[in-house]
Amino acid sequence: MDAFRALKSRNFRLFFYGQSISLIGTWMQKTAVCWLVYRLTNSAVLLGVVSFVSLIPSLFLSPYAGSYIDRHNRYRVLVITQVISMLQAGALAGMILLKYYNIPGIIFLSLVQGIINAFDVTCRQSLMVEMVEQREDLPNAIALNSTMSNFARIAGPALAGIILSAFGEDFCFLSNFLSYVPVLISLWMMKITLPVIVKSDRSIWVELREGFDYIAGDKDLSSLLLMLCASSLLVIPFNTLMPVFAKDIFNGDAKTFSWFESAAGLGSIASAIYMAKLKPNKDLIKILITASLIFSLSVLLLAFSGWLPLALLFMTLSGVGMMAQTASINTYIQTHAIPTMRARAISYYIMAFQGIIPVGSLLTGLLSHLIGPRLTVLIAGLAGAVATVVFVNYRKKISTTVYPVQDGAGITTPSLKLKG
């Protein structure tokens, strides 16, 4: 099928299957951590803190990670990050199995995972182009990778809800530890050929500055990253309050919380399948604007929902919008950044996405404590709508003159020329 054409590449197929299992374990653990922290503390602020420490390293380390990965063997870096992630998951599983419910310890291990992810996510994204045999299949591989991530977002919380109710948190944490075995096996089975890395005499800090100058000088890419920053700070962190919605607003339990996560994942996977079927010449900017409006309005309507099935419907629509928004930006950057800057460009995408979310999560938790969860989510939806309007007005300042550009993947696609 055309929607799965990137799976014809053996290396990407191995990566896809191994990561699918690992990411389900990751989402099971994420769901279990959120539920455990809120069950023990009843604190929306601490929920924000856990989300903050697990992602904040991406804000500070992603640009460095991009420069580091450009200078080293990406495959080897990926294997190392997966092994360390497995050890971190094992430490967390051991803590919970021993019934050592130490909130500072959970926060510390979440911080460790965040540091690992700053390198791991950037490395996985930048290695994608080497995993696919046909360069024109790269956008499809990116979309399938997003599909895989969002399928895990459905399956992980759904399984976590069942396991949390039947067996307890420790089984979720142990499952995540074991889920790293398939991904390590798949990585070791790969036969991947990487370009020869030329040893640079320049300082990595010089290359960091070059990456920043490249992004700052390209208003096409920088406008997308600024839009993603706004969404990551103001809208996406509404998810932090879903345990509060499940437990306090809808009087539910761990299974109810898993429904919220799975609903968002269901919308995301539907959106990812749509992105996977896109033709190479599809206008990603129009998709981004439409997705941003869907995302903002669904979050806005969620704030008013008093009936659980309706709230889950708006969660599903929020998943549709968020997935298409982030995937369109990711695809645009990967297919337009020049090869020598690809990892660094992706690192700024990771920083704008994963790095800004924890700041927003912390603010969301604090704001919810002050004005309540419903009003906080309402403000998030309004902020997303305003950010979209600002982005559209900014894009109007850019000339719509189209000219062909051969991007970093070797694909000829239309680009936009700035005025003047």
Side-chain angles (χ1 to χ4, degrees):
M1 290 178 64
D2 192 53
F4 300 95
R5 58 188 180 275
L7 291 177
K8 292 183 292 185
S9 300
R10 180 179 181 273
N11 288 326
F12 180 73
R13 187 166 62 248
L14 286 168
F15 169 81
F16 184 86
Y17 294 145
Q19 281 289 327
S20 295
I21 298 171
S22 179
L23 287 172
I24 289 173
T26 298
W27 274 100
M28 288 176 66
Q29 177 175 290
K30 182 178 182 294
T31 305
V33 166
C34 289
W35 183 257
L36 177 65
V37 169
Y38 195 66
R39 179 176 67 82
L40 294 175
T41 67
N42 283 313
S43 171
V45 175
L46 277 176
L47 276 177
V49 169
V50 170
S51 296
F52 179 83
V53 299
S54 66
L55 293 173
I56 193 61
S58 294
L59 178 61
F60 300 104
L61 293 179
S62 287
Y64 176 84
S67 296
Y68 179 88
I69 290 163
D70 273 338
R71 297 161 66 103
H72 293 83
N73 185 304
R74 297 172 188 182
Y75 170 78
R76 194 170 301 146
V77 172
L78 184 58
V79 171
I80 291 170
T81 59
Q82 293 296 306
V83 170
I84 298 174
S85 293
M86 185 178 187
L87 294 175
Q88 183 271 348
L92 189 53
M95 179 188 294
I96 305 305
L97 283 167
L98 294 172
K99 308 297 182 186
Y100 183 60
Y101 298 134
N102 184 276
I103 299 299
I106 292 172
I107 291 172
F108 172 75
L109 286 172
S110 297
L111 175 64
V112 171
Q113 186 60 54
I115 294 171
I116 299 166
N117 282 344
F119 290 84
D120 179 70
V121 177
T122 303
C123 189
R124 276 191 281 131
Q125 294 282 350
S126 62
L127 192 62
M128 200 83 66
V129 69
E130 270 84 31
M131 290 183 187
V132 293
E133 295 165 6
Q134 304 295 326
R135 294 300 174 90
E136 61 269 21
D137 289 342
L138 177 61
N140 179 252
I142 295 168
L144 285 177
N145 186 53
S146 297
T147 306
M148 167 182 65
S149 299
N150 287 290
F151 173 78
R153 189 177 178 179
I154 298 172
L159 285 172
I162 296 169
I163 292 173
L164 284 169
S165 299
F167 304 105
E169 294 99 349
D170 45 0
F171 275 80
C172 288
F173 293 106
L174 181 61
S175 297
N176 183 46
F177 171 71
L178 295 175
S179 73
Y180 282 97
V181 174
V183 73
L184 287 172
I185 292 173
S186 68
L187 286 173
W188 285 327
M189 290 176 65
M190 282 185 184
K191 296 177 182 177
I192 194 163
T193 303
L194 296 174
V196 177
I197 299 171
V198 180
K199 194 72 175 179
S200 177
D201 295 328
R202 294 176 300 168
S203 163
I204 194 169
W205 304 108
V206 172
E207 295 189 354
L208 265 173
R209 179 58 185 266
E210 287 179 351
F212 177 80
D213 290 342
Y214 171 68
I215 293 296
D218 189 326
K219 289 189 171 117
D220 202 25
L221 297 183
S222 60
S223 67
L224 298 178
L225 289 173
L226 286 172
M227 177 63 189
L228 184 59
C229 281
S231 185
S232 298
L233 179 67
L234 304 171
V235 194
I236 296 175
F238 88 95
N239 268 320
T240 304
L241 299 178
M242 289 310 99
V244 184
F245 267 62
K247 186 172 184 286
D248 296 341
I249 293 178
F250 291 102
N251 300 312
D253 53 15
K255 191 175 290 186
T256 311
F257 172 46
S258 74
W259 291 345
F260 276 90
E261 292 286 359
S262 295
L266 182 63
S268 295
I269 199 170
S271 187
I273 291 171
Y274 167 76
M275 295 294 293
K277 292 182 177 181
L278 285 181
K279 301 298 181 185
N281 60 349
K282 197 73 175 178
D283 190 339
L284 291 172
I285 302 301
K286 285 184 179 178
I287 292 173
L288 166 61
I289 294 168
T290 303
S292 299
L293 287 173
I294 292 172
F295 185 27
S296 302
L297 292 175
S298 60
V299 172
L300 191 65
L301 292 169
L302 174 65
F304 292 105
S305 301
W307 185 40
L308 181 58
L310 193 60
L312 294 176
L313 171 63
F314 292 135
M315 277 299 293
T316 303
L317 291 174
S318 77
V320 170
M322 187 179 75
M323 168 61 218
Q325 181 192 65
T326 56
S328 57
I329 295 173
N330 186 5
T331 303
Y332 194 96
I333 290 172
Q334 290 214 42
T335 55
H336 286 74
I338 60 176
T340 55
M341 291 288 178
R342 183 180 294 116
R344 276 169 278 186
I346 293 168
S347 72
Y348 279 97
Y349 165 82
I350 301 300
M351 183 177 73
F353 184 32
Q354 291 194 352
I356 300 296
I357 287 176
V359 179
S361 295
L362 193 60
L363 292 174
T364 297
L366 291 170
L367 192 61
S368 176
H369 180 71
L370 293 173
I371 64 175
R374 281 196 184 275
L375 190 53
T376 302
V377 172
L378 173 65
I379 291 172
L382 287 172
V386 171
T388 305
V389 171
V390 172
F391 175 76
V392 170
N393 287 332
Y394 178 80
R395 294 295 298 191
K396 285 180 180 178
K397 296 178 182 178
I398 299 175
S399 168
T400 54
T401 303
V402 179
Y403 61 98
V405 172
Q406 192 176 63
D407 55 55
I411 308 166
T412 301
T413 55
S415 185
L416 299 173
K417 188 173 181 180
L418 302 180
K419 284 184 177 179

